[in-house]
Amino acid sequence: MTDHAYTASEMMIAVAARHLAGAQTAFVGVGIPNIACNLAIRTTNPNLALIYESGVYGAQPARLPLSIGDPTLVSGAAAVMPMADLFMYYLQGGLVDVAMLGAAQIDRFGNLNSTIVGTDYAHPKVRLPGSGGACEIAINARRILNITRLSKRTFVEKVDFLTSPGFLSGRAEREALGMPGDGPQAVITDKAVLDFDPETGEMRLAGLYPGVTVDDVRAGVGWDLRVAPELATVEPPTPEELRIMREELDPTGLYRA
Amino acid sequence: MNKIISMKEAIQEFVRDGATLAIEGFTGLICFAAAHEIIRQGRRDLTLCRMTPDLIYDQMVAAGTARKLIFSYLGNPGVGSLYAIRRAVEQGIPAPLEIEEYTHFGMIGRYIAGAARLPFFPLRSNTGSDLPAHNPAIRTVQSPYADGEVISVVPPLNPDVAILHAPRCDASGNTQVWGLVGMQKEVAFAADKVIVVVEEVVDERIIRSDPNRTLIPGLIVDAIVVEPYGAHPSYVQGYYDRDNAFYLEWGELSKDIEATNRWLEEWVYGVPDRAAYLKKLGEETLARLRPGQAPSEPVNYGVYA
């Protein structure tokens, strides 16, 4: 296996890229999501258009951007616009097929917390960045991919603060509110892929990475995680996927470690 | 009327204690030169508005200029936390800081409503979130049309002063921006007073040769400050790159209150103006941040005489 050895991050990037197959547009963040999108363009989805909340459509970054407002996103892009246009017409206009979000906490219905740790908003244990664009992305993008490492601190029964809605208390509640987007589709972790029950919207174990057991995954989740009836094994990164990541997308290994 | 004045004069004349101030610019075009002059002049009790407070407001809060922060993303973009603001919020150091929090779209909507003089802006956001429970300014209205949809609304935001960095303008303040334009236009129209800070003032003829690129008309510009590299360590597209090394450095040093104060002492109080800051920064750093050339193709506007 040594010639096919890969890191957990490389696996997450490869899996995320495969989830972008078929999408016309992706709303991109920095780090792993950015590399996953650029990997998808070189593998599963050559026509994928990258949208950044900073006001860029059809970016062709020539270097790894540190921030979502990096000037490399502008040079060579198809369009650069006021952020108002991007949020009103692209995002709220229904043109974002898939968006990738991270969070400090995610709960069993895919609700995200990026605001505070602790339950007292005025006196938080830790003050996190807050929503940024995450809340409206979670509401308006067609589907949401969450990219998060398994940990009981992160996968909690109930988030301390609900920053960005997943299915709220279940699919029925989200549907009743008439949100344009379909909500969370998958959570891509370092050990497994989780999806959401098509009836209830509860998160469940859908696919195990090679060498991982159900108990390994449950050990990183803060509630009694259910297992999907058709539990799959997720294919490891191919040699070609690894080559592109290592030679072209992240040669210094900043995000692959 | 000559609108071109020094940064010192601009801050003295337009930024008063207790003012509501927006120094916008999304990742790029963030006017650190203005922030540092405000710190040097010892302004207090400011209400600071920015979607992403960024290092600029972290420094202003550390220096004790602010009473309140209105924002939508409280992070060091691509790096991590804003530790000075966290110290103020979590521990009241150097002074308690009131916060008023929105989502990005919420802040965008506030500036649009402010610029268009509307009572509120409706948006598909906030629903299902805990944020409205902690910010009573985020409300809902029922649409008088169609199915009577209940939709989230945010109130207008009209800063007393906006300070906006840009690549260039003419002597009247007709200001052109390329690269990320952020919310510069909306904030300019929303604010009572507008200070534009530019890399260079160019001949009116150059501005008029490409009117589509003018984002802010001179009509609403009260003062022009010419301050090359005034946005460092943020960037100006085509002029200089973001100094990511400094964003990473601040991410470390700002964890420590003494190190933060030492930095302010050395780089803000210790220099009289931006020119001195640049001299101290050194040619090597400026050379490192200089981008290659990628000019756009000219377009033909036509002559219709």
Side-chain angles (χ1 to χ4, degrees):
Chain A
M1 283 298 284
T2 47
D3 55 336
H4 285 286
Y6 52 89
T7 66
S9 294
E10 287 171 335
M11 180 70 179
M12 292 169 81
I13 293 165
V15 173
R18 293 173 203 159
H19 276 79
L20 295 168
Q24 266 195 297
T25 56
F27 209 93
V28 195
V30 291
I32 285 181
N34 179 68
I35 298 174
C37 286
N38 284 288
L39 179 60
I41 287 172
R42 286 164 175 79
T43 54
T44 59
N45 193 344
N47 298 318
L48 181 68
L50 306 185
I51 298 178
Y52 289 80
E53 72 178 10
S54 50
V56 182
Y57 163 72
Q60 294 183 334
R63 69 179 183 197
L64 270 178
L66 178 72
S67 76
I68 51 163
D70 194 291
T72 195
L73 303 175
V74 168
S75 301
V80 176
M81 69 203 81
M83 291 180 77
D85 290 12
L86 193 126
F87 278 78
M88 287 195 290
Y89 312 138
Y90 286 69
L91 180 59
Q92 194 169 259
L95 300 178
V96 175
D97 288 336
V98 54
M100 286 182 271
L101 295 174
Q105 292 180 334
I106 181 168
D107 72 16
R108 68 194 291 166
F109 291 103
N111 302 302
L112 304 176
N113 173 19
S114 56
T115 303
I116 53 164
V117 177
T119 49
D120 184 354
Y121 179 77
H123 304 96
K125 269 190 242 168
V126 182
R127 174 65 227 200
L128 302 164
S131 165
C135 180
E136 43 265 6
I137 292 167
I139 288 171
N140 290 283
R142 192 65 48 223
R143 55 192 170 99
I144 300 296
L145 298 177
N146 194 277
I147 301 180
T148 308
R149 285 165 189 275
L150 282 171
S151 144
K152 280 193 170 165
R153 282 175 57 190
T154 307
F155 287 76
V156 294
E157 169 97 44
K158 192 174 182 311
V159 286
D160 289 353
F161 187 100
L162 200 161
T163 310
S164 309
F167 292 115
L168 300 168
S169 65
R171 276 187 199 270
E173 187 179 359
R174 183 177 172 107
E175 272 166 31
L177 289 169
M179 292 186 185
D182 295 334
Q185 181 200 27
V187 184
I188 295 160
T189 77
D190 51 338
K191 293 192 169 71
V193 175
L194 312 171
D195 71 359
F196 294 86
D197 187 293
E199 297 296 319
T200 64
E202 182 175 338
M203 197 189 297
R204 57 187 197 173
L205 175 55
L208 287 169
Y209 294 175
V212 174
T213 67
V214 172
D215 285 343
D216 291 339
V217 176
R218 282 192 163 138
V221 176
W223 68 89
D224 187 16
L225 180 71
R226 294 191 192 180
V227 179
E230 60 287 359
L231 180 62
T233 301
V234 183
E235 291 296 316
T238 65
E240 178 63 2
E241 286 168 336
L242 287 172
R243 188 196 65 75
I244 295 169
M245 279 186 248
R246 291 170 182 177
E247 292 177 16
E248 296 176 20
L249 300 179
D250 184 15
T252 63
L254 187 60
Y255 298 106
R256 289 185 289 105
Chain B
M1 184 192 98
N2 181 23
K3 293 182 184 176
I4 303 177
I5 57 178
S6 72
M7 184 65 84
K8 220 168 234 125
E9 292 167 326
I11 301 305
Q12 264 163 5
E13 183 169 347
F14 293 103
V15 182
R16 303 285 152 80
D17 283 352
T20 298
L21 171 69
I23 310 180
E24 271 289 351
F26 196 83
T27 320
L29 302 177
I30 306 174
C31 195
F32 281 80
H36 291 180
E37 184 56 31
I38 290 169
I39 293 172
R40 273 191 293 270
Q41 292 193 19
R43 287 295 174 284
R44 289 290 178 270
D45 298 322
L46 299 173
T47 293
L48 298 176
C49 318
R50 254 187 80 79
M51 294 176 64
T52 61
D54 205 281
L55 272 49
I56 186 173
Y57 284 179
D58 213 35
Q59 294 172 359
M60 289 180 75
V61 168
T65 64
R67 180 186 71 76
K68 182 176 176 181
L69 184 65
I70 302 176
F71 71 98
S72 51
Y73 181 84
L74 201 59
N76 177 343
V79 179
S81 279
L82 293 175
Y83 291 100
I85 292 175
R86 274 183 57 181
R87 273 195 294 277
V89 172
E90 293 167 12
Q91 305 164 52
I93 299 171
L97 183 70
E98 187 187 337
I99 60 169
E100 187 176 325
E101 179 169 11
Y102 296 87
T103 69
H104 271 354
F105 199 9
M107 279 296 278
I108 289 168
R110 292 204 63 189
Y111 286 135
I112 294 173
R117 315 291 151 172
L118 286 169
F120 57 81
F121 179 90
L123 69 162
R124 288 213 170 75
S125 185
N126 299 315
T127 310
S129 160
D130 285 339
L131 195 54
H134 298 281
N135 181 349
I138 302 172
R139 300 179 190 174
T140 59
V141 294
Q142 186 175 13
S143 167
Y145 299 105
D147 56 359
E149 177 182 355
V150 173
I151 192 156
S152 181
V153 292
V154 291
L157 179 54
N158 292 100
D160 296 323
V161 190
I163 303 177
L164 303 167
H165 203 89
R168 70 185 185 193
C169 69
D170 64 20
S172 320
N174 294 308
T175 303
Q176 298 196 328
V177 179
W178 55 98
L180 298 181
V181 295
M183 291 301 292
Q184 305 293 71
K185 176 176 68 176
E186 292 79 0
V187 178
F189 280 101
D192 187 30
K193 298 287 180 191
V194 176
I195 303 170
V196 165
V197 184
V198 290
E199 293 294 314
E200 52 186 332
V201 171
V202 297
D203 196 278
E204 185 181 335
R205 181 183 50 79
I206 292 175
I207 299 295
R208 288 181 182 275
S209 77
D210 194 4
N212 275 119
R213 218 185 294 278
T214 303
L215 199 67
I216 301 169
L219 178 69
I220 58 170
V221 172
D222 296 281
I224 300 164
V225 177
V226 186
E227 201 78 282
Y229 287 98
H232 176 271
S234 86
Y235 71 93
V236 178
Q237 191 84 28
Y239 286 75
Y240 44 96
D241 198 354
R242 188 173 189 251
D243 193 348
N244 286 331
F246 180 76
Y247 273 80
L248 291 162
E249 187 190 329
W250 182 263
E252 284 306 312
L253 78 85
S254 62
K255 287 176 184 169
D256 179 58
I257 190 165
E258 297 306 327
T260 305
N261 289 336
R262 274 198 305 275
W263 188 90
L264 289 173
E265 207 51 60
E266 183 178 351
W267 288 92
V268 181
Y269 298 111
V271 293
D273 53 25
R274 195 63 174 181
Y277 170 98
L278 290 178
K279 196 165 170 219
K280 187 171 163 59
L281 197 60
E283 181 50 38
E284 206 175 305
T285 300
L286 301 186
R288 171 170 62 82
L289 299 174
R290 212 161 280 141
Q293 297 286 310
S296 68
E297 290 289 335
V299 297
N300 178 23
Y301 279 91
V303 176
Y304 301 92

